Amino acid sequence: MIKTEHLKKVYTTDEIETTALNDINITVEEGEFVALMGPSGCGKSTFLNILGLLDSPTEGDYYFMGDQVSGLSERERSKIRKGNIGFIFQSFNLIDELTVFENVELPLQYLGKSSEERKQSAESALERMGMLPRRNHFPNQLSGGQQQRAAIARAVVTGAKLILADEPTGNLDSGHGKEVMELLKSLNEQGTTIVMVTHSPLDAEYAGRVIHLLDGKVVDSGVQKEMIS
């Protein structure tokens, strides 16, 4: 599903040039659950943004679902993102002025789905996450764990083949964090490919493989292991 070859990302200002990623070569197969680990500033989030087509590499190739996507325009990348990639963020990124239901159905509006299609898909996603009873609540009426479950429902509502999660339990206590990781594990078992940035060794245990980054480079691409039960 994902393949990068000699991927490099350089940020340049008038005074300094910073290499965030340097010669990244990885493959993620369809159906994998991969964790990206490393110290702060090692390039994990930058890499995740490129995988999610939110940014482009400076050099190198990125193949998504078999297609070369590293040189595409923002409009072309956006077209591929819609319906194929779902995002989960540490800060949830729910829209405060919208209800849980409205937050979850929003990606379907961007896809031009009918009102009835949006209703059915959003309710189904919320039910999977155990959030249907909270459909009319606003984000500030929810606990952190509930907000993240709503965010996961939003990420999967389009049937995305790939979920990218950036520190999905970073703002949660251990109990709610475990709930979120169990949900991600369940999604992966149902066939969704997941790439997750995390600092947590406990969260990384849920992944089938851990890729370690240091100073913008892959220092260990990991070995596929059995998922924990």
Side-chain angles (χ1 to χ4, degrees), residues 128-146:
R128 289 172 69 188
M129 297 302 121
M131 287 297 292
L132 194 56
R134 305 280 185 177
R135 55 171 290 162
N136 293 321
H137 286 64
F138 290 91
N140 62 7
Q141 297 175 306
L142 304 176
S143 69
Q146 289 170 337

Side-chain angles (χ1 to χ4, degrees), residues 34-58:
V34 175
L36 300 176
M37 297 193 75
S40 296
C42 72
K44 301 185 301 298
S45 293
T46 297
F47 189 37
L48 205 70
N49 285 340
I50 291 176
L51 295 185
L53 301 174
L54 297 172
D55 199 359
S56 294
T58 306

Side-chain angles (χ1 to χ4, degrees), residues 212-223:
H212 290 272
L213 278 73
L214 181 66
D215 297 332
K217 297 181 179 181
V218 173
V219 294
D220 183 359
S221 58
V223 177

